[in-house]
Amino acid sequence: MKTFERYVLSEILPLVFGALAAVITLLVVASLEGVIAPLLAKGANPTLVARLLALNVPEAAATALPIALMFAALLGLSRLAADSEIKSALAAGIPATRLFRPVLLLALGVTLLDFALGEGLVPRAQVQARQVQQQIVLDNPRVLGLGSSEGGQNVVLRDALGRAISIGEILPGGELRDLRIVTMQSGLPPREVITARSGRLPPGSATLELRDGQRVTYQDARPVTVLSFERGTLPLQDTGTELGSDSQTAKPIYDPLPQLWQRVQSYRAQHIQSPADFTALHQKFAGPLAALALAFFAVCLAVFSFRSGRDVGLVWALLLTFAYYATFSVFRIMGEKGAVPGAVAAYAPDLIAVLAGLGLLWLTARR
């Protein structure tokens, strides 16, 4: 690698690490208001909450890498242009296009690292986060009211056996009222319904204690047996508890690629519409590739700003970075809701960045 290219990298790399730390901090702190602070207010174990926060860092890093690279490239190359260092390079016979090679090589490394994070560390961290969430609930059932209305009303907990556990009210001390446990069958009426006037989930236990209840089993939607009881227990199987209104653990993007690919292929064979899964499959590749697309745009903008004499300062770097993140978020939501095809939702932000870069090069060539 030539001296000029090494110099460009030395200008950008420190900014990448600084921007990465800042974006990760912002993404993690955003969860403080939505989940972490309410958890602590509900009396959750601070140690478990700290573990949950730490387990969200890998996912935040995977999201932040392309964004941090774009911000660092915009700011670093803008400084080179403002200090006339690009002009000096041109005077020495180095073409402006030589800016592309070091930045795109760095972007390729970021792309590979981002893909490795998304397929390796992030899924494992999300599995552990799911376990920690369940442990938080088992230690203090009051936290189940986080995603519900005032006072912890109408909370629904689901477990791995397909049972929906509705809790009418969560009282101080972990006392539960008006419980309803429905054993679901895919595409069929419930197989079993258990109701109880009150209950309790002892701290650290995976067994729900029920009092003053009734158990009804069904066959072809008709009741077969009816049993009343004063006390009973119900073992919970991997509740996968959602502690907020937008639980990240339920998103298919966190499934390993082979598992997600197999599920999508099964849906296609059965002509099943699952836009969230289809979008997530394409995002597995589009997310890491965003580093290359954004790096290309950043270099194109630097060349254009140098030729036009306009400086891309900190404010513009922040605005452009925010614009990409907003575009990415909007398309992701549209894809998950089925408003646009999954491939369009995943690759559109990257394509917009590349087309914008090509447009800037065209404008530069006309000058």
Side-chain angles (χ1 to χ4, degrees), residues 122-139:
V122 172
R124 289 197 295 269
Q126 290 299 314
V127 169
Q128 294 179 34
R130 189 183 183 90
Q131 295 170 351
V132 172
Q133 286 184 0
Q134 182 176 355
Q135 190 174 353
I136 289 174
V137 172
L138 295 179
D139 281 346

Side-chain angles (χ1 to χ4, degrees), residues 191-195 213-219 222-229:
R191 185 175 68 249
E192 178 185 65
V193 176
I194 301 174
T195 56
Q214 186 180 72
R215 176 177 179 266
V216 182
T217 60
Y218 293 84
Q219 184 175 1
R222 294 193 300 269
V224 176
T225 62
V226 179
L227 174 67
S228 298
F229 59 89

Side-chain angles (χ1 to χ4, degrees), residues 164-168 176-183 192-199 208-218 225-234:
I165 305 168
S166 172
I167 303 171
L176 312 177
R177 294 288 175 86
D178 300 326
L179 293 98
R180 182 180 179 88
I181 300 96
V182 181
T183 303
E192 178 185 65
V193 176
I194 301 174
T195 56
R197 182 172 299 176
S198 62
L208 183 62
E209 298 178 354
L210 305 175
R211 294 186 294 271
D212 300 326
Q214 186 180 72
R215 176 177 179 266
V216 182
T217 60
Y218 293 84
T225 62
V226 179
L227 174 67
S228 298
F229 59 89
E230 292 185 4
R231 292 183 178 273
T233 58
L234 181 73

Side-chain angles (χ1 to χ4, degrees), residues 54-361:
L55 288 169
N56 282 323
V57 171
E59 186 271 336
T63 302
L65 271 171
I67 299 173
L69 176 62
M70 176 186 177
F71 177 80
L74 286 172
L75 208 57
L77 295 177
S78 174
R79 194 202 68 79
L80 290 177
D83 292 349
S84 300
E85 295 188 53
I86 295 180
K87 183 181 293 185
S88 300
L90 290 176
I94 300 174
T97 52
R98 285 280 294 277
L99 287 170
F100 283 93
R101 182 181 173 187
V103 178
L104 291 182
L105 283 175
L106 176 60
L108 179 60
V110 170
T111 296
L112 296 176
L113 176 61
D114 200 25
F115 185 80
L117 276 175
E119 283 305 296
L121 188 58
V122 172
R124 289 197 295 269
Q126 290 299 314
V127 169
Q128 294 179 34
R130 189 183 183 90
Q131 295 170 351
V132 172
Q133 286 184 0
Q134 182 176 355
Q135 190 174 353
I136 289 174
V137 172
L138 295 179
D139 281 346
N140 186 353
R142 288 189 62 208
V143 301
L144 286 174
L146 288 178
S148 61
S149 58
E150 187 69 24
Q153 309 291 325
N154 301 322
V155 178
V156 177
L157 180 67
R158 299 181 184 275
D159 72 0
L161 298 182
R163 296 180 297 195
I165 305 168
S166 172
I167 303 171
E169 185 179 7
I170 301 176
L171 302 178
E175 184 73 14
L176 312 177
R177 294 288 175 86
D178 300 326
L179 293 98
R180 182 180 179 88
I181 300 96
V182 181
T183 303
M184 309 299 295
Q185 302 180 95
S186 180
L188 297 173
R191 185 175 68 249
E192 178 185 65
V193 176
I194 301 174
T195 56
R197 182 172 299 176
S198 62
R200 182 176 178 80
L201 187 61
S205 172
T207 300
L208 183 62
E209 298 178 354
L210 305 175
R211 294 186 294 271
D212 300 326
Q214 186 180 72
R215 176 177 179 266
V216 182
T217 60
Y218 293 84
Q219 184 175 1
D220 298 329
R222 294 193 300 269
V224 176
T225 62
V226 179
L227 174 67
S228 298
F229 59 89
E230 292 185 4
R231 292 183 178 273
T233 58
L234 181 73
L236 300 180
Q237 299 291 328
D238 185 19
T239 57
T241 308
E242 298 184 2
L243 296 178
S245 59
D246 186 22
S247 174
Q248 294 180 340
T249 58
K251 293 183 178 180
I253 188 66
Y254 301 120
D255 292 337
L257 181 58
Q259 178 182 334
L260 182 58
W261 172 263
Q262 185 176 9
R263 186 164 69 245
V264 167
Q265 291 301 104
S266 175
Y267 288 157
R268 283 174 176 164
Q270 301 175 57
H271 303 288
I272 296 175
Q273 299 295 325
S274 181
D277 290 279
F278 286 97
T279 301
L281 178 62
H282 290 289
Q283 281 184 329
K284 286 282 189 179
F285 303 96
L289 286 174
L292 282 168
L294 295 177
F296 176 77
F297 169 77
V299 179
C300 292
L301 182 58
V303 173
F304 172 78
S305 56
F306 166 72
R307 293 293 188 186
S308 62
R310 300 173 183 175
D311 183 26
V312 180
L314 176 62
V315 175
W316 273 105
L318 288 171
L319 288 175
L320 290 169
T321 304
F322 175 77
Y324 168 78
Y325 184 74
T327 303
F328 166 80
S329 300
V330 169
F331 273 102
R332 176 182 59 81
I333 294 172
M334 291 174 64
E336 291 175 352
K337 299 298 183 182
V340 297
V344 174
Y347 292 104
D350 298 354
L351 184 60
I352 290 173
V354 172
L355 292 177
L358 292 174
L360 290 171
L361 288 181

